Amino acid sequence: MRWAALVVAAVLVAVAGCSAGETGTPVGASQRPPGEGGASGDRDDDPRPGGAKPSATSTAVPPLDVAAENSKPGTEDWKTGLRTGPARSIEAYADRIAVRPGETFRLFVSTTAPGYTVTAYRMGWYGGDKGREVWRSAHVPGRKQAAPVVDPGVNTVHADWDPSLTVPTTDWPEGSYLLLLTSDVGFSTYVPVTVRGGQTRGRMVLLNAVTTWQAYNEWGGYNLYNGPQDYSDRARIVSFDRPYDSTGAAGFLNMELPLIALAERMGLPVSYATDVDLDADPKLFAGATAVITLGHDEYWSTAMREHATEFRDSGTNLAFLGANAVNRHIRFGRTALGDRRLVICYKSAAEDPMAADDATETTQDWRLPPHPRPENVLTGTYYQCFPGNAPFVVWDADAWMFAGTGARRGSAYKGLVGVEYDRVVRDPAPPQPIQVLSHSPVTCGGKADYANASYYTVPSGAGVFSTGTMRWVCALGTACGQYLDEAGRRFAIQVTENVLRAFATGPAGKAHPARANLGEVSEP
């Protein structure tokens, strides 16, 4: 949905508000095979996400000790060092979306400066600094690389650049990372990378929503919403083989980092993955106590959905800490850099060539015919509207996740609903029993409506929590701007802490079965 400009502004506000490891290895000639790397929509059977190839130095690593990791010295250099410059001053992307500790990845960098350095920061709590430097490169010679290439017909943008630097991850603990690239003239940008563990049993998995980041990425002039003219000439397929726009990490900073910092401050057993891993590697999630999707996780493949449903039905809790989740149906394709480097979403059955071969894989909204599979059968809530802004109004004040908030029925928390929101609807029917937690009057597009948070449980004992608002995760930090006040922030933090603690211990429905109350809730 159309929130990108708001996110960019919020990120710039938020960003304004260890020891070095091995030096990186500059890379010479391009390793992109000629004649490959176009916007083919063909699915590859290679199960390795983002072209993952295990490094010779990759070995089994112990699970992340969150408390010990966050006791290490942090730094705010990751944000104070950011200085965005003129267009094309420095920009970069990685050939791996996620790696395991000890594996390497390459950076593809273009800059107008003579050179640059790269510093890797693991993002967490770290006493409030929210970042720890784990690695710094030697000085790397810079050069300006080729202009972006746009594939006609589908308007896929890719940067066919030579690789610039190989980055080692020796001794990097799993987590979400920002690489800060700083040019010789002081301009900088981020490249996000996830370092994932080998297994997640007994841990909550925090999921980086990289498919949604890419859907909104307008680098090179196209994303899944816009082209140079308007919606009509948007991209139908977007590629990870290009930098992100804005700071390079807008979606992560505003929609994900506040929750990561909170979970690590609490010392909870967390693990990290991306939604590409959710598609490619379901075994990674075996035995996880919960899978937590963060502030905006809109673009889901069939396998992502099927795997999340299987996890739920085997006792893994799910949390959707945003709105508009699981709204768009996607497929993945490959480029010369690996599998699942393309996100395919025509948003139209009439346009998608797959519709003639397998209509169930047509890339449009999940809820649309000819094979409607509405998102609320998984999330519990149903996407409604953009833009909406309203207080979050408590409905079921006795719900366990409201413990310690002091909330009563009708307690209202300024600005916590927005800028997109969901609702619990009767048709299509959500899973039962479902407990409506909030009932917030909101007007959107001139229509009176309600936004709802919800919680349902299933026979496996798993609990599924949905906030029903895209502003939830930013409320845990400082990036919601004028919309939120301190009372709303404290409320969101307390509720989130309650949910995370319960979900970390196993199937939440065993201790906290949902109380069906949809019949008590009024219609607009």
Side-chain angles (χ1 to χ4, degrees), residues 400 433 435 455-457 508-516:
W400 61 268
Q435 188 169 1
Y455 173 70
Y456 74 85
T457 50
K510 293 182 178 180
H512 304 290
R515 183 184 72 84

Side-chain angles (χ1 to χ4, degrees), residues 344-504:
I344 303 165
C345 191
Y346 284 83
K347 298 186 178 179
S348 165
E351 289 190 41
D352 191 341
M354 179 64 78
D357 298 325
D358 182 358
T360 65
E361 282 297 307
T362 301
T363 56
Q364 57 181 2
D365 290 5
W366 276 101
R367 61 179 67 174
L368 294 179
H371 295 281
R373 288 157 288 177
E375 68 273 18
N376 68 331
V377 301
L378 179 63
T379 64
T381 56
Y382 193 79
Y383 175 68
Q384 291 294 290
C385 192
F386 165 91
N389 294 288
F392 182 100
V393 180
V394 171
W395 176 260
D396 192 343
D398 294 328
W400 61 268
M401 62 283 296
F402 293 151
T405 65
R408 300 179 179 182
R409 177 170 290 191
S411 293
Y413 298 93
K414 175 187 173 183
L416 191 51
V417 171
V419 61
E420 300 187 64
Y421 66 92
D422 297 349
R423 183 173 175 184
V424 178
V425 297
R426 292 169 171 79
D427 183 23
Q432 293 291 341
I434 190 164
Q435 188 169 1
V436 178
L437 304 173
S438 67
H439 197 49
S440 307
V442 58
T443 299
C444 188
K447 176 185 175 183
D449 199 1
Y450 286 101
N452 302 120
S454 70
Y455 173 70
Y456 74 85
T457 50
V458 294
S460 69
V464 179
F465 173 68
S466 173
T467 67
T469 170
M470 196 175 286
R471 206 166 277 148
W472 192 272
V473 171
C474 80
L476 307 177
T478 58
C480 286
Q482 75 276 16
Y483 293 105
L484 205 71
D485 59 17
E486 190 57 31
R489 195 178 313 284
R490 288 196 304 268
F491 172 81
I493 290 171
Q494 182 64 62
V495 173
T496 305
E497 289 179 351
N498 293 342
V499 170
L500 293 180
R501 285 195 184 97
F503 279 21

Side-chain angles (χ1 to χ4, degrees), residues 13-99:
V13 170
V15 170
C18 98
S19 60
E22 302 171 57
T23 57
T25 305
V27 178
S30 172
Q31 299 180 35
R32 181 187 297 274
E36 297 188 28
S40 168
D42 295 336
R43 173 110 180 202
D44 189 86
D45 292 330
D46 184 351
R48 299 169 297 189
K53 293 179 174 62
S55 164
T57 61
S58 179
T59 58
V61 294
L64 174 67
D65 185 332
V66 175
E69 171 61 27
N70 280 270
S71 69
K72 297 176 181 178
T75 179
E76 293 189 330
D77 290 352
W78 64 271
K79 66 177 178 179
T80 59
L82 180 68
R83 182 187 172 205
T84 54
R88 306 293 184 258
S89 56
I90 184 164
E91 47 198 359
Y93 66 93
D95 68 348
R96 301 281 298 278
I97 297 165
V99 297

Side-chain angles (χ1 to χ4, degrees), residues 151-168:
D151 292 329
V154 291
N155 294 336
T156 305
V157 178
H158 44 100
D160 293 344
W161 295 348
D162 294 332
S164 309
L165 182 72
T166 297
V167 179

